[in-house]
Amino acid sequence: MKPDIKGLQNFIDEDAIWKTVQDTAGTDAARIHDILEKAREAKGLTLDETACLLHVEDPQLNEAIFETARTVKQTIYGNRLVLFAPLYITNECGNRCTYCGFKATNTELERRTLCAEEIQREVTVLEDQGHKRLLLVYGEHPKFGADWIAETVQTVYQTISQRSGEIRRVNINCAPLDVEGFKKLHDVGIGTYQCFQETYHTDTYAMLHPSGHKQNFLWRLHAMHRAMEAGIDDVGMGTLLGLYDYRFDTLALLAHAAELEKHFGVGPHTISFPRLEPALNADITFNPPFPITDAQFKRLVAVLRLSVPYTGLILSTREGQTMRRELLDLGVSQLSAGSRTYPGAYADPNYNRPEVQQFCVGDNRSLDDVIQEIIHQGYIPSWCTACYRLGRTGEHFMGLAKAGFIQQYCLPNAMLTFKEYLEDYASDTTRAIGMPLLQHEMETLPDTRRNIVTARLCRLEQGERDLYF
Ligand code: SAM
Ligand code: SF4
């Protein structure tokens, strides 16, 4: 199928974005403090205000940004943190993205597409670790259309582990489809449709995507519009950091989000900010043209939290343990853990094969190890899927989120799913440190809520599962 791009416009005004980047350089401290004052109200920031913050180098002002991000994060999300794992379904790909190990020209890469039995095997391993939310990842190949992707989603939902669990929310990261294709994904109950624009700078985009469907910038740029038109309320956006100037791409991404809000009344459900990681036969990944330093990266995450306070911020295992620990406080609300980045990796007894993976993972710890650290940081790990299953998605979700709902429902739901984890999957060490945290969290709930949650925790102890508000 050749994508039809007749009539599609590039709504990203590159000149205007560059002008904003340039005009906001060197903003004085008083203005930065004014912007942070506004950010504390958690109503979001304009592109101009966001750009001012992205420029900040002064250590004191930088700390002020971090402190504001911590406050806003705590106010909106409390101390819950949603966990998921990626599941690679195929690494066959017809594109030639210069930065990706799966590119068609990488002849050294072993190609593999999981059949239904193999998907079931992978899902069972993940379920037995305690995962309830997966992100399915696909290369883009003419062999695989929307029907096939939809079948793989159904296979995942239908895989129930003998030992315990089931996957309750399947999110998707695949190449853009047409509206009809997206409807098929909607019909099989996907959660979020995720697709990264990589860079919004058209000349750079053309250089990095020399052939294949992904060459088509406008088709990708309008993917979220088509997904939403097809009824998928929750969409996830991102740029691949290191390909182009991060300030330009961040402002362009926020302009993209604003465009969706204008058309559909709601922006993206999540934003991801992957940094380029080394990949086999992808020279650019060893020497990124626009590297982003750790300091710039941390500021970027904190500024996103202030700019779009109600949008989930997703952190992957591309980052190492130390950076991940620091970013949790600065605004991240969703975290992958125990990730493996090639098809069949979870059930692979010879795991750790760089010659088949998409890129190198920075945090190789198991889910249980990551959870121990999260608990030590005072966060409640959550596998909650209530909103999506109760139809609280898109505009409906954002409306509730803005009314303080997340604290009222998300935290109790986080506690219920955390309790399930502690009952069914946790190591002895994790259980020993997790139970007191749960107890402590219970005490923060208002009396009426605490009584209801206590009753449900008892039902979980007696063997019931999947309880939520
Ligand atoms: N094939 C689909 C696509 O390109 O949209 C979806 C899957 S692709 C594997 C998912 C994402 O991985 C890409 O959108 C890109 O941002 C990211 N990615 C690719 N190569 C990477 C690398 N070397 N380091 C970090 N992330 C990378
Ligand atoms: Fe294929 Fe996606 Fe990798 Fe590009 S980023 S080569 S489309 S898997």
Side-chain angles (χ1 to χ4, degrees), residues 234-251:
D234 291 348
V235 296
M237 298 176 18
T239 59
L240 185 51
L241 298 166
L243 299 179
Y244 192 60
D245 184 281
Y246 74 94
R247 292 159 307 183
F248 175 92
D249 270 333
T250 302
L251 295 188

Side-chain angles (χ1 to χ4, degrees), residues 42 272 297:
S272 303
F297 185 57

Side-chain angles (χ1 to χ4, degrees), residues 88 90-93 95 97-102 135-141 172-176 193-199 205 209 214 220 238-241 243 274-280 282 284-286 316 318 341 358-360:
Y88 282 69
T90 177
N91 63 8
E92 294 191 71
C93 192
N95 291 320
C97 312
T98 48
Y99 45 81
C100 180
F102 293 171
L135 171 69
L136 306 194
V137 184
Y138 306 78
E140 180 174 18
H141 199 281
I172 292 281
N173 186 323
C174 70
Y193 170 66
Q194 188 183 78
C195 177
F196 306 151
Q197 190 62 30
E198 320 298 8
T199 175
Y205 187 94
H209 304 99
K214 196 161 161 181
R220 196 169 183 89
T239 59
L240 185 51
L241 298 166
L243 299 179
R275 281 202 286 189
L276 211 48
E277 290 298 325
L280 181 70
I284 191 177
T285 63
F286 296 93
S316 77
R318 289 174 180 86
T341 63
Q358 192 203 2
F359 51 79
C360 297

Side-chain angles (χ1 to χ4, degrees), residues 115-125 127 155 158-159:
C115 66
E117 290 72 34
E118 290 167 328
I119 293 175
Q120 284 162 358
R121 221 172 295 147
E122 292 283 278
V123 172
T124 304
V125 172
E127 286 173 345
T155 303
Q158 286 158 5
T159 304

Side-chain angles (χ1 to χ4, degrees), residues 5-36:
I5 55 160
K6 278 196 296 287
L8 295 186
Q9 302 288 326
N10 184 359
F11 47 79
I12 303 296
D13 183 340
E14 293 188 11
D15 291 342
I17 288 176
W18 263 125
K19 188 167 177 333
T20 306
V21 171
Q22 276 148 11
D23 289 353
T24 51
T27 304
D28 63 40
R31 169 98 174 108
I32 297 292
H33 282 298
D34 285 348
I35 295 170
L36 293 179

Side-chain angles (χ1 to χ4, degrees), residues 26-92:
T27 304
D28 63 40
R31 169 98 174 108
I32 297 292
H33 282 298
D34 285 348
I35 295 170
L36 293 179
E37 222 26 66
K38 176 183 170 190
R40 265 177 209 285
E41 293 167 21
K43 295 200 173 111
L45 298 175
T46 64
L47 284 194
D48 232 58
E49 291 161 344
T50 305
C52 292
L53 297 186
L54 286 175
H55 281 296
V56 167
E57 297 282 349
D58 175 82
Q60 276 180 344
L61 288 179
N62 209 42
E63 188 41 50
I65 294 177
F66 287 177
E67 193 275 317
T68 315
R70 279 184 213 112
T71 309
V72 168
K73 173 166 182 211
Q74 186 60 30
T75 312
I76 297 177
Y77 292 92
N79 55 352
R80 99 197 205 284
L81 205 57
V82 171
L83 283 143
F84 73 96
L87 171 56
Y88 282 69
I89 303 291
T90 177
N91 63 8
E92 294 191 71

Side-chain angles (χ1 to χ4, degrees), residues 101-115:
F102 293 171
K103 65 185 166 185
T105 46
N106 189 2
T107 48
E108 275 184 75
L109 188 91
E110 204 178 288
R111 301 287 165 173
R112 187 165 176 199
T113 296
L114 302 184
C115 66

